[in-house]
Amino acid sequence: MPSSLQLSFPTFAFKPSRESSRRRNYHIQIFCSSPLSGTQGGHEEPEERSCSCRVEGQPYVVLVERYSNGTAKRYVLGNDLQVQTFVEQHAAEANGSKASTPTQPKLSWLPDIVKDFILPAGFPGSVSDDYLEYMLLQFPTNVTAWICHTLVTSSLLKAVGIGSFSGTTAAASAAAIRWVSKDGIGSVGRLFIGGRFGNIFDDDPKQWRMYADFIGSAGSIFDLSTQLYPAYFLPLASFGNLAKAVARGLKDPSFRVIQNHFAISGNLGEVAAKEEVWEVAAQLIGLALGILVLDTPGIVTSYSMLEFTWLSMRLLHLWLRYQSLSVLTFNTINFKRARLLVKSHVLHSIILEYTECNRKENILSWERFIKPCSTFDIPLVEMLGVERSSTKVKMLLGLYAQEEYVLFVNQDREEIEFFVSFKVRATSLSVLRSIWQCYWLNEHRGGSDNVFDQLKQSLVELDQRFDNFLEQLEGAGWDVNQINLKVPRKLVIEEVVPTEFTQ
C-alpha cells in the first residue's frame, strides 16, 4: 500500500500508519539523501544532510528497510524516475506495548543494549512466563554462593600452611584475594560469551564444542608458564583462567544442545545424569594416572619433560574430541548441512542421507567462508550499486513479489557473491529457498549476461523444483520441522508496492 508523504521544508515528515501507532509512539526525525548517496561498507546509515531535494508530483513509497536499532529507511519513487531514500530516526516512548507485558516493567529501566545482553532473543515471547522471576531470584542466590567460596578459599590456604608460620592470617587472606581475583578475571570470559554469542550454539554445536577445546588448550599454556615465571603468577594465571572460562562458555551450551539431541524420549534429565557418571569416572581415572605421571622422577625434575608430556596428552585429547564429535548424526538442518543438501539437489537432483551428510560436514570450517559466498542484511542501495533507477528497483521488487526475501548478484568481484535481505514475514524456509537459489545461480551463472534474466530463470527453477527438494528431504530422514536457519533481523524489508509495480 502506498504511504502518504507530507512535505514541509526544510525537513520531511512521514505519517506513521495506524498499526505502528498502536504499537508504540515515535518521535521521528527525517533526513533526505540524494539518489546517488549510499552506505559505505557494513550497515552504516547514510550521513545526515541538509534536505534541499524536492519530490515532484505524488511520490510512491515502494520499500521500507527497518533496522534493529529502530531506524527505518524509506525508498521513494517520484515522477523523475529516480530513487530517493529517507531515513527515519525513531525514539520509542516508554509507554509502548512492551510495558503492557506483565514481566516487562521490572526491567523497563534497563537500556535495550543491556536487555539484549542478559535476556534471550525474542524475550519475553521466546521463554516461559516464569523465566524472569526465576532469574531475578537466581542472581542473588549465586552471589551468596561466591561469597562463601571466597571465605572457604581463605580457610583452605591456611590449612595447607600459608600464613601459619608467620603467626598471622594476613598472608592467607592476601593469597586468597589473589586466588579469587584470578578466578574473577577468568569469569569475565564466560560473561562475554554468554551475553554476546548466546545465539550461535543451536546452529552448530559440534563446531563450538571443538573450538572450546582449542581455546582451553591455549589457556593451559598460560598455566604451565607460571612455573617459569612465578613472579607473574597472577597475570599468567588470570589469562589462563580467562581463556578456559571462554572455553567453558562455549562448551556448556554446546553440550546441552548435544544432550538434547540424545534425549529422543524426552529424558533429558536422565541423559544429563548418566553423562555425569561417565565424566566423573573418567575424571577419577585421569587423576590417578596423572598422579602416577607426577611420581615419575624424570618428569618432576625436568620442566621440558613435563611440557612434552602435556603436549602429547593434549594433542591426543584434541584428536579424540574430534573423533567423538564426528560420529554425531543430526537430522536437523543447519547452514552447513543445508549447503551440502542444496548442492547435491541442484547438481544431481538427489538428497544426501542425514548420516552421509553429517560425515561430509566439516566441523572446523566457518559457514561464512564456504563458497558461494552469501551476505545477509544488505540494504537495497548496496545491492544495486550506483545505478538506482526506478526501473531496476521495480524490476527487482517485482521478481520477488512472491518470495519473502530479495536476492541480488554482485558481479563486480572475481568470486561471485550473493546479497540477500529478508522481508518481515520471512521464516527458516525462506532462508532455505534463498540458499537453493544461490546455488542454482552459481552453477548456471554463464547462461546470460543480463543479471535480471538470470534471477528470473533461477526463480522459475526454484518454483518448479523446491517442492521436490522438500519431499526428498523428508524421504531421506531429515526433520523438515527442525530447520535451524535463523532469519537475520538486523535489517528487515517491508514492502509498500503499488499494484502497477508487480509483474
Side-chain angles (χ1 to χ4, degrees):
M1 54 177 289
S3 176
S4 62
L5 175 71
Q6 288 186 338
L7 302 180
S8 57
F9 296 97
T11 58
F12 288 94
F14 288 94
K15 288 184 178 181
S17 63
R18 290 183 181 178
E19 182 179 356
S20 62
S21 299
R22 287 196 301 267
R23 288 196 298 266
R24 58 174 73 174
N25 298 323
Y26 293 104
H27 298 301
I28 304 177
Q29 188 176 6
I30 310 297
F31 303 109
C32 175
S33 63
S34 67
L36 296 182
S37 66
T39 56
Q40 298 294 328
H43 301 131
E44 296 177 1
E45 304 301 333
E47 295 181 358
E48 181 178 343
R49 305 180 55 182
S50 59
C51 189
S52 58
C53 60
R54 180 182 178 188
V55 181
E56 298 289 340
Q58 180 62 39
Y60 288 105
V61 180
V62 295
L63 188 74
V64 180
E65 290 177 347
R66 302 195 181 278
Y67 296 80
S68 58
N69 61 2
T71 303
K73 184 192 297 180
R74 293 178 181 266
Y75 291 78
V76 180
L77 298 186
N79 289 345
D80 57 358
L81 299 181
Q82 291 294 321
V83 179
Q84 304 284 345
T85 59
F86 299 87
V87 178
E88 301 177 356
Q89 292 186 343
H90 294 187
E93 295 183 353
N95 59 349
S97 62
K98 287 185 178 181
S100 62
T101 306
T103 59
Q104 197 68 16
K106 296 180 182 179
L107 297 178
S108 59
W109 52 273
L110 280 178
D112 289 340
I113 188 172
V114 178
K115 292 179 184 178
D116 293 339
F117 193 82
I118 66 174
L119 296 173
F123 177 86
S126 61
V127 293
S128 60
D129 294 338
D130 52 2
Y131 174 82
L132 181 58
E133 187 175 2
Y134 172 81
M135 296 308 297
L136 290 174
L137 291 172
Q138 185 75 359
F139 182 77
T141 303
N142 291 332
V143 170
T144 55
W146 282 105
I147 294 174
C148 295
H149 169 74
T150 304
L151 300 176
V152 169
T153 300
S154 177
S155 297
L156 289 173
L157 293 174
K158 287 174 62 178
V160 296
I162 297 179
S164 56
F165 298 105
S166 62
T168 177
T169 60
S173 298
I177 291 173
R178 294 180 67 190
W179 193 269
V180 172
S181 297
K182 169 184 69 73
D183 293 340
I185 294 173
S187 298
V188 174
R190 293 177 61 197
L191 178 69
F192 176 74
I193 291 296
R196 181 63 181 83
F197 300 104
N199 60 343
I200 64 175
F201 302 106
D202 294 309
D203 177 49
D204 201 350
K206 291 192 284 186
Q207 180 190 59
W208 297 113
R209 183 64 187 88
M210 193 69 226
Y211 283 176
D213 266 8
F214 285 135
I215 297 173
S217 300
S220 297
I221 296 176
F222 287 102
D223 290 343
L224 283 174
S225 301
T226 57
Q227 183 176 340
L228 292 178
Y229 307 100
Y232 299 98
F233 170 81
L234 183 58
L236 289 174
S238 296
F239 278 120
N241 262 27
L242 178 62
K244 288 186 288 186
V246 170
R248 184 179 174 186
L250 294 174
K251 180 195 76 173
D252 290 348
S254 300
F255 191 67
R256 284 171 188 162
V257 177
I258 295 173
Q259 284 180 329
N260 191 62
H261 160 72
F262 293 145
I264 61 173
S265 302
N267 55 340
L268 180 59
E270 184 179 9
V271 168
K274 297 305 180 183
E275 189 274 332
E276 283 288 320
V277 173
W278 285 76
E279 183 174 345
V280 172
Q283 179 183 3
L284 294 174
I285 296 174
L287 289 174
L289 293 176
I291 292 172
L292 291 177
V293 170
L294 288 177
D295 276 343
T296 305
I299 294 178
V300 173
T301 57
S302 173
Y303 177 79
S304 59
M305 281 298 299
L306 174 65
E307 192 175 43
F308 175 77
T309 304
W310 173 85
L311 182 61
S312 302
M313 289 297 102
R314 201 65 195 180
L315 291 176
L316 178 61
H317 166 83
L318 292 173
W319 180 78
L320 290 172
R321 178 71 68 195
Y322 183 86
Q323 296 302 316
S324 66
L325 293 174
S326 298
V327 302
L328 293 175
T329 54
F330 290 87
N331 67 342
T332 55
I333 301 174
N334 64 0
F335 276 101
K336 286 183 184 178
R337 293 189 283 274
R339 285 177 172 272
L340 289 171
L341 293 169
V342 165
K343 183 177 182 180
S344 175
H345 188 260
V346 168
L347 292 179
H348 310 295
S349 296
I350 60 173
I351 290 295
L352 299 174
E353 296 284 341
Y354 73 91
T355 53
E356 181 182 0
C357 186
N358 275 266
R359 283 197 300 269
K360 291 185 176 183
E361 181 184 6
N362 190 332
I363 296 176
L364 300 179
S365 67
W366 288 67
E367 189 275 332
R368 69 179 63 182
F369 298 121
I370 301 176
K371 304 298 181 181
C373 179
S374 300
T375 306
F376 296 141
D377 291 335
I378 298 297
L380 187 65
V381 292
E382 292 188 24
M383 283 190 184
L384 297 177
V386 294
E387 299 180 6
R388 289 177 227 135
S389 66
S390 61
T391 302
K392 284 193 174 182
V393 172
K394 289 187 287 186
M395 289 176 62
L396 189 62
L397 297 181
L399 280 174
Y400 292 98
Q402 303 303 319
E403 298 291 340
E404 296 302 332
Y405 65 91
V406 174
L407 182 149
F408 199 72
V409 183
N410 179 18
Q411 297 178 314
D412 296 335
R413 299 175 55 183
E414 295 182 4
E415 292 284 345
I416 190 171
E417 182 181 16
F418 299 98
F419 293 153
V420 187
S421 287
F422 294 92
K423 300 180 184 179
V424 176
R425 294 179 298 276
T427 62
S428 296
L429 195 61
S430 307
V431 181
L432 188 58
R433 289 178 68 89
S434 71
I435 295 174
W436 198 99
Q437 186 184 3
C438 286
Y439 269 83
W440 192 93
L441 285 166
N442 185 62
E443 296 298 330
H444 301 82
R445 59 179 179 269
S448 173
D449 294 332
N450 189 312
V451 64
F452 285 95
D453 289 343
Q454 295 179 32
L455 293 175
K456 187 174 182 179
Q457 182 61 33
S458 67
L459 288 169
V460 171
E461 294 288 334
L462 178 64
D463 287 338
Q464 293 177 351
R465 299 179 59 186
F466 192 77
D467 286 342
N468 174 261
F469 174 65
L470 293 179
E471 291 174 1
Q472 289 196 45
L473 281 178
E474 195 166 3
W478 293 94
D479 187 354
V480 295
N481 296 318
Q482 288 290 325
I483 301 177
N484 296 327
L485 305 176
K486 295 181 180 178
V487 181
R489 294 295 183 184
K490 291 182 180 179
L491 181 157
V492 292
I493 294 176
E494 182 179 334
E495 283 187 295
V496 191
V497 185
T499 55
E500 63 187 83
F501 289 175
T502 58
Q503 295 183 346

